[in-house]
Each structure stands twice: as C-alpha cells, then as structure tokens.
Amino acid sequence: MSAKNRGDRIQLLQKVVTKHYTAVAAPEDRTVLEHMLYACCLEDTPYDAADEAFHRLQESFFDWNEVRVTTVSELCETLHNLPDPAAAALRIKKNLQSLFETRYSFDIDDMVKMNQGKAIQELEKLAGMTKFVLAYVTQKALGGHAIPVSHSIMQVLLATEIISATEAEKGQVPGLERTIPKTKGAPFASCLHQLAIDHATSPDSKQTKAVMKEAGAVEPKKQPEPKVKSSKPAASGKATSSSSQGASKPTKQPASSKKSTAKAVPPKAPAKTAGKKTASSAGPVKPKTSASKNAPVKKAATKKPTKRKPR
C-alpha cells in the first residue's frame, strides 16, 4: 500500500471515531507507575471495567510490593471483572517484579525528567511490558507522541485495510504517528480504543457495523461451504448397484475355469418335436445332388398286358 493511500485511510478513521465517540481523559495526578499498571488493566478492556479493576487493586492491597508477591490466581480474583483477568494479572506481576529486580524500588517518576528515548529503552526491558502499555505510558506519563495499539485495535486497522495481514502478525502500523499529529493523538487513541472494544465484543451490532462501514471497513467475502459426502450412504449405494449388476450380468470367470466347465458338462441331446419322425425312423435320407435337381423326372414304365394266343 502506498503511503498516501494509507494516510488517507488513517485520516478517515480518525474523522469517524472522533465523530461517534467521546475521548476519555486520564487523571493527571497519577504517577508513572500508576499509569503503567492502569494500562495493564486497560489493554483490550472497556474503560469502565479498567477503572473498577484498578481501583479495587489499590484498595485491596497495602502497597505495590504486596501486589508483587501475590499469586496470579489471587490477583485474578481482584481483577475478576476484566475480560481476561489472568493476562492482566500476569502483566502487572511481571512488571512489578522486573522493577524490583532492577531498581529495588517502585518509584520511577524520575523517567519524566530523563531523556525520553532512554526512558523508553528502560521500560522496554521489563518482563511484562507490551506495545500497548509502553505506548500508553509514553503518551500519558512521559509526554511523548505514541498511539497505543492493542490486539482489538489491530483488528480494526486490519478490517479498514490500513494494515495488511503480515503487518498485523508483526504488530506494525506504519505511518500511524506520522499521519496523526501529537495534539490529536490522545483523543484519537481513546476513541479508537472504544471502537475496537465494541467491534470485539459486539461485531454484529448495527451501530458498530455502521461505524465500521463509514470508516472504510470491507466485509470479508463469505466462501461457500464445501459439500461433505457422508460415507455410509455412498457405501450402501455402491453395494446396491453392485448387487443389481450381479443379478443382471453373470460374473466373468477366468479362461481356465471356462475350459474345465466345458469339458465336464456333456452336450445336450436335440429335442424331439411332436408330430415329426426322427431320422432313424424315416430311414436314410438320400442326398440330393445338383444333377438330380435339373434332370427331368422320369415316369416309371408300365408293363402292357400280353395277349395270350389261342390254343
């Protein structure tokens, strides 16, 4: 896809989502760590569910170190309202564990004053860091220009043909930050996140379909279902046809069996017809020659009576 065509599609998507959705602003008093942990809850999750889970996480534990040493199953009970609590719990636990092993502290607000590239490199090394969480922290906490892209957002970009299937597998969205300016990055990311959640949870909704169509989404072509032939009817049909053929046509025997059968069966005697004499009773039949056919038929000579002389 050319850069111009991709840029036009991204601008159309930005225009549509900001028209149908209202951007959700993040609280400004959160620390860098809180932004990171909230992003772990927000990935592929509606805003209201992420707010509830994050608030319960803060209220249920004494500090973040207690969250670090808590098992994933116990964290899942706290994050039970999320679509995938196990994935969110694993992200939170891994990031806290990596921070504890590298910094021995959970205070990372010094990254705001740090060189942004260096801070991003340090965050990338965390075990539970995803592209969505990293971009969210970069945008909300570090003041950088990044648009968080989750798996559900990737499906929207794929449906609107902004990215290809190969780019979706690699998690790449070329030209996204270059097309959307920094001043519109946060509202666009929030509205796009809401559309992605609606598309993931209720793709058959009329409202969601209308927004996706307006954004340039192309519905996949339905392929005809292949006709599957069941094996049982085919087997019975074959058996029936073979039996009917066997009844009408005798099976062929090998040549050797034919010869042996011919020798074993004696020839049948000619049948006698009623009212006709056989050749033995009528006597020998004289063969007719060609000469006898053409020769005239001679009458048998009759003897004339002799006259007796008088004595």
Side-chain angles (χ1 to χ4, degrees):
M1 182 185 295
S2 62
K4 182 180 179 181
N5 191 15
R6 192 194 302 271
D8 293 340
R9 290 179 179 275
I10 293 174
Q11 289 179 355
L12 175 62
L13 179 62
Q14 186 265 339
K15 180 180 178 181
V16 171
V17 295
T18 52
K19 172 185 175 183
H20 293 279
Y21 294 93
T22 303
V24 178
E28 296 180 358
D29 57 345
R30 284 178 179 167
T31 63
V32 178
L33 180 64
E34 289 174 344
H35 279 298
M36 183 180 68
L37 298 180
Y38 177 78
C40 292
C41 299
L42 182 64
E43 187 168 354
D44 292 321
T45 304
Y47 276 103
D48 54 351
D51 292 340
E52 181 183 348
F54 184 70
H55 178 72
R56 194 184 302 112
L57 193 68
Q58 291 176 308
E59 295 294 329
S60 301
F61 298 92
F62 178 73
D63 56 6
W64 296 120
N65 188 60
E66 185 181 358
V67 176
R68 177 184 69 87
V69 297
T70 304
T71 61
V72 174
S73 59
E74 291 177 349
L75 288 176
C76 289
E77 295 178 2
T78 307
L79 308 173
H80 62 85
N81 66 311
L82 300 180
D84 193 352
L90 197 61
R91 287 191 293 266
I92 292 172
K93 186 175 176 63
K94 283 186 175 183
N95 283 327
L96 290 175
Q97 183 64 30
S98 296
L99 282 175
F100 180 78
E101 292 175 355
T102 55
R103 289 201 165 206
Y104 303 103
S105 172
F106 299 115
D107 184 11
I108 54 175
D109 286 343
D110 59 304
M111 289 186 177
V112 178
K113 299 178 181 180
M114 193 185 300
N115 180 274
Q116 192 174 107
K118 186 177 180 181
I120 293 174
Q121 288 180 357
E122 185 175 346
L123 290 173
E124 284 177 338
K125 296 178 182 179
L126 300 180
M129 187 61 58
T130 62
K131 291 184 178 181
F132 178 86
V133 176
L134 180 62
Y136 186 91
V137 174
T138 302
Q139 181 191 85
K140 300 296 183 181
L142 303 181
H145 181 37
I147 297 175
V149 177
S150 60
H151 176 73
S152 57
I153 293 176
M154 198 71 70
Q155 298 305 311
V156 172
L157 300 178
L158 186 62
T160 53
E161 295 185 345
I162 293 176
I163 59 174
S164 62
T166 305
E167 292 169 342
E169 291 178 0
K170 296 179 180 179
Q172 299 175 349
V173 188
L176 185 61
E177 284 82 3
R178 184 173 60 253
T179 305
I180 303 299
K182 183 179 180 181
T183 54
K184 298 181 180 180
F188 169 68
S190 177
C191 296
L192 179 60
H193 179 81
Q194 297 176 60
L195 172 61
I197 296 301
D198 290 343
H199 182 258
T201 55
S202 56
D204 297 330
S205 171
K206 292 183 179 180
Q207 182 179 358
T208 304
K209 281 185 175 181
V211 175
M212 291 292 295
K213 186 177 181 180
E214 187 179 353
V218 179
E219 294 184 1
K221 296 181 180 180
K222 295 183 178 180
Q223 298 181 354
E225 297 181 358
K227 296 181 179 179
V228 180
K229 295 182 179 180
S230 58
S231 58
K232 290 183 179 180
S236 61
K238 290 182 179 179
T240 307
S241 61
S242 62
S243 61
S244 61
Q245 289 178 2
S248 59
K249 295 182 180 180
T251 55
K252 294 183 179 181
Q253 296 180 354
S256 60
S257 62
K258 283 185 177 181
K259 290 181 180 179
S260 61
T261 307
K263 290 179 181 180
V265 179
K268 293 182 179 180
K272 294 181 180 181
T273 57
K276 291 186 179 181
K277 294 182 179 180
T278 59
S280 59
S281 61
V285 180
K286 294 181 180 180
K288 294 181 180 181
T289 60
S290 59
S292 64
K293 290 181 180 180
N294 298 327
V297 179
K298 293 182 179 181
K299 294 182 179 180
T302 57
K303 292 182 181 182
K304 293 180 179 181
T306 56
K307 295 180 179 181
R308 294 182 180 180
K309 293 180 180 182
R311 291 180 181 180

